[in-house]
Amino acid sequence: MSGRSWTNPTALNCVRVDSVVACLATAAKVAGILPTFGAFNGMDQCCIMVNLSGLNPPQREAASILAGPLLVLAGAGTGKTRVITYRMANLIAHGIRPDRILSVTFTNKAAKEMKERTIQLIGRQFKQRPVVSTFHAYCVRVLREDIDCLGYPKKFAIYDRNDQESAARTALRDIRLGDGAMKPSDLINRISRWKMHGIQDHEASSNTETDFDLIAAMGYKRYQKQLRACGAVDFDDLLLLTVKLFQEFPAVLQRHQSKFDHVQIDEYQDTNGVQFQLIEALVKPHRNLCVVGDDDQSIYGWRGADVEHIINFAGHFPGARVVRLENNYRCTDKILEAANRLVKHNKQRHDKTLIPNKKFGSPIRIHVFDDETAEAENVVSEIAYLTSELGVKAKQVAILFRTNEQPRVFEQEFRRQQVPYLLVGGQSFYDRREIRDLLAYLKTIDQPRDEVSLLRIINTPARGIGATTTEKVIQMAVKKGCSFWDILPEASAAGAIPAKALKAMSEFRSLLQRYAAAMHETPQHLAEICRRLVSEINYEAEIIKQYKEEAQQETRKTVLEEFINSIGQYVERTEDPSLSGFLETTALMDREDEADRDQKQDKDAVRLMTLHSAKGLEFPRVYLVGMEEGFLPHKRSIDADSEKDIAEERRLAYVGVTRAMDHLTLTRAKSRMKWGKRRETVPSRFLFEMQLEPGEALPEEHISREDDGLGAPLPPGSGQSPLVPRPALRPIQQKAPAAPNEFEAPPF
């Protein structure tokens, strides 16, 4: 079928299709067009019931607009995933072939949820499915088909952060710059910012502002040259190279454009410059683009996200229709009143006000403590009381904070009071040393040109190949412009490799080749083959060498077992498993997936997480701690004195407030320890903004700061009344109140 589409102006409550022909005939009658058609996979009978009556009017309107550019402004807790999945089902009910629909989001969690919900709506009678993917996974699909046009192998490796830093370290060494002058992590961060704005390595020197940038531009060229030589790309390259491919090869772009008639983008407020170029290129022939997002929740500017994309959507795509979802089903009225008051202080935003579905909620509480220790003690004591005396489950409670150093004092207090907790978004499972070692083995087996992975494990566990010998071979390979293995015979003939080391290298290469053959021939046994590899290299001896305590050794062995299990699980759920496929799946795991993996643990424990990690989650009880200038808003934003930066911090506070379903507590400390010296703090401006009456202005004198970033006391006679301290939170040993509502302080 042609893939033409139409708008259903009647916003049908229910669309029933008894056959493909009937579907197309009905649609043609409604829209006044006559599309060409053909049966889905030879099926001449199908029945889809898409019942839109369960949606509220704005949701129903959004799900019924089936053509042209559409912006769905979905406030926090307004059911955006429900709308985007119903809209996909409605497209299919109106005759659009499922696999002609592309829905793109940012996390594997969101993509999985969208897939599951769509299948529930359309059933399983279609052999095709809508393509639901993250941006990076979609780009991998494109590059696996066509990256050879850019001079890369189709079987390219995907470098993670640790691999990137190894490559960056080599790049800095090549330009005669050690770690002391510029850290590899600093170089990677600068390169990432360039790539997110679509700036390639040969263009970076024209986009510099400082001496640091000039050096980084040189490092960028060496870094990118090394990746190309190793047949590797990094995470940002997945997007940048796809856009480059589309720009330089029109036939390739046209082929990928022709695969889809409808494109949907979730979390559109988080798109960066390269993602915007990608979207714009894909939808140019048909302009059937639906984006869903909330400019008030755009909090990833530091990742390159540009809130202007959603604010100026109608300018980028003329004729766009806009639907606002404002009915909130998550938070109580008191919480939403504060959230609405707060976010209205941002000047550049789409006008919208969240409407509560849950009325008569508990008042928001603000508590002020003498210092950070008292803050942690009181908050944890109250949580202990809630869980032990009032039957509240620990996992229903979250403590949200702005910076990574804040949870330390809370962790200490949780341990002291023996309250179970979970620090979400801590060390990734795949960042553990033993997992990185095994992944390096698998990457080297899969892609022998991947020298970053090779050098990590060439002498791990120790096999008699010293660092000096390896360095000599690498230097020869760089001069000749060939790979480590290709230069080996010449290095041996030149006497650069001792006989013992040469024998060890030969045996090591043989081992890699044997396992490459086994994994290629019997991919259904990947887990068992990997288990044999671990045994043959005697990696358990490496664990015993690295960790002296028996308990640590057992923990690390358990981690190894979990890794092998993850390979087995991949094989079970994949129709055509392969080593490359497993490594690709692992590489596309993102931090949000890690946070979700932590969040879904069955452990009944209080969640501690940053505000960025909390986005998309909800909890019955939320403690938003450290509500002070220097924390929220962050010191960097205050020092920048930029309205744009403060606006993003305000959106971050808004996200934190709207994570709370029923109970929200805001806390701050009067003073904090900074570099061994106690400093007084200033209450966050956001506390005042949440309490302002309409028309009341925020006094300019409120903000007073020192170089330490924690602020100074309010000047005498400033006219600004500080927050009136409320009584301390109820400690665990006090008598239980007659009812939970007695916990609450007076409202604002």
Side-chain angles (χ1 to χ4, degrees), residues 394-529:
K395 63 183 178 183
Q396 295 178 333
V397 182
I399 298 178
L400 308 183
F401 42 86
R402 175 63 180 89
T403 65
N404 286 318
E405 64 266 21
Q406 284 175 266
R408 179 189 60 79
V409 64
F410 285 91
E411 286 194 83
Q412 290 175 344
E413 198 58 34
F414 274 120
R415 292 192 188 103
R416 188 181 71 81
Q417 297 196 36
Q418 297 183 338
V419 177
Y421 74 94
L422 190 63
L423 182 61
V424 177
Q427 185 187 33
S428 165
F429 174 75
Y430 293 99
D431 281 345
R432 293 175 170 87
R433 174 176 177 165
E434 48 278 357
I435 301 304
R436 297 205 53 75
D437 285 346
L438 289 188
L439 278 172
Y441 268 95
L442 297 183
K443 288 176 181 179
T444 307
I445 289 169
D446 187 58
Q447 174 55 282
R449 287 174 60 184
D450 183 357
E451 290 177 0
V452 168
S453 297
L454 170 65
L455 296 180
R456 180 182 179 92
I457 47 95
I458 195 168
N459 200 43
T460 303
R463 52 178 57 90
I465 305 174
T468 302
T469 300
T470 304
E471 183 66 24
K472 287 180 182 178
V473 177
I474 286 291
Q475 287 176 355
M476 292 182 69
V478 170
K479 286 180 181 178
K480 292 286 185 178
C482 57
S483 74
F484 182 93
W485 295 119
D486 291 340
I487 200 67
L488 211 54
E490 185 177 333
S492 176
I497 309 174
K500 184 178 178 181
L502 182 62
K503 181 173 182 293
M505 285 185 183
S506 177
E507 291 174 350
F508 178 56
R509 188 176 191 183
S510 176
L511 177 140
L512 296 177
Q513 290 172 335
R514 279 192 293 110
Y515 278 93
M519 291 179 180
H520 177 71
E521 292 168 7
T522 56
Q524 67 273 24
H525 299 306
L526 270 178
E528 179 56 37
I529 296 170

Side-chain angles (χ1 to χ4, degrees), residues 580-652:
S580 297
F582 171 73
L583 292 173
E584 183 177 297
T585 300
T586 302
L588 292 175
M589 286 279 292
D590 47 44
R591 280 289 178 179
E592 284 78 5
D593 298 323
E594 286 290 326
D596 183 53
R597 188 174 67 85
D598 290 338
Q599 171 66 12
K600 285 190 173 180
Q601 288 187 21
D602 291 333
K603 184 179 180 183
D604 184 25
V606 178
R607 269 52 177 173
L608 278 76
M609 63 179 73
T610 65
L611 288 164
H612 286 99
S613 296
K615 186 171 177 289
L617 303 177
E618 59 185 25
F619 302 90
R621 294 176 180 270
V622 167
Y623 293 82
L624 184 47
V625 302
M627 292 294 294
E628 302 143 28
E629 295 288 301
F631 277 149
L632 191 66
H634 195 277
K635 178 182 184 296
R636 284 193 302 268
S637 299
I638 297 172
D639 291 345
D641 196 23
S642 161
E643 185 175 317
K644 180 180 178 181
D645 291 343
I646 294 297
E648 179 155 324
E649 291 292 305
R650 186 176 288 111
R651 292 193 293 267
L652 194 55

Side-chain angles (χ1 to χ4, degrees), residues 85-152:
T85 51
Y86 266 85
R87 186 176 182 275
M88 270 197 290
N90 207 12
L91 282 167
I92 295 166
H94 278 82
I96 301 302
R97 218 172 67 189
D99 60 346
R100 305 286 301 174
I101 303 169
L102 171 66
S103 282
V104 182
T105 187
F106 279 81
T107 68
N108 292 320
K109 172 195 172 187
K112 181 181 178 183
E113 182 181 6
M114 204 179 295
K115 284 180 187 175
E116 291 171 348
R117 289 201 191 184
T118 304
I119 290 173
Q120 287 173 3
L121 288 174
I122 69 173
R124 300 183 179 274
Q125 64 264 49
F126 296 119
K127 291 182 182 178
Q128 304 102 334
R129 292 278 185 269
V131 178
V132 182
S133 170
T134 63
F135 271 101
H136 291 91
Y138 170 73
C139 289
V140 167
R141 289 165 63 119
V142 172
L143 294 175
R144 290 294 183 205
E145 290 184 34
D146 295 300
I147 197 173
D148 53 330
C149 295
L150 298 174
Y152 286 80

Side-chain angles (χ1 to χ4, degrees), residues 23 53 82 90 92 183 304 329 393 405 485 546-547 687 698 733 739:
C23 164
S53 62
R82 181 178 175 83
N90 207 12
I92 295 166
K183 294 179 181 177
Y329 299 94
K393 290 187 177 298
E405 64 266 21
W485 295 119
Q546 295 295 331
Y547 305 99
L687 289 172
L698 180 68
Q733 65 270 21

Side-chain angles (χ1 to χ4, degrees), residues 699-736:
E700 293 180 4
E701 306 94 292
H702 168 58
I703 307 304
S704 174
R705 61 181 186 270
E706 294 179 337
D707 290 340
D708 59 30
L710 288 176
L714 294 173
S718 66
Q720 173 62 49
S721 299
L723 293 174
V724 178
R726 304 290 200 269
L729 301 182
R730 186 183 301 277
I732 186 171
Q733 65 270 21
Q734 290 191 9
K735 183 180 178 181

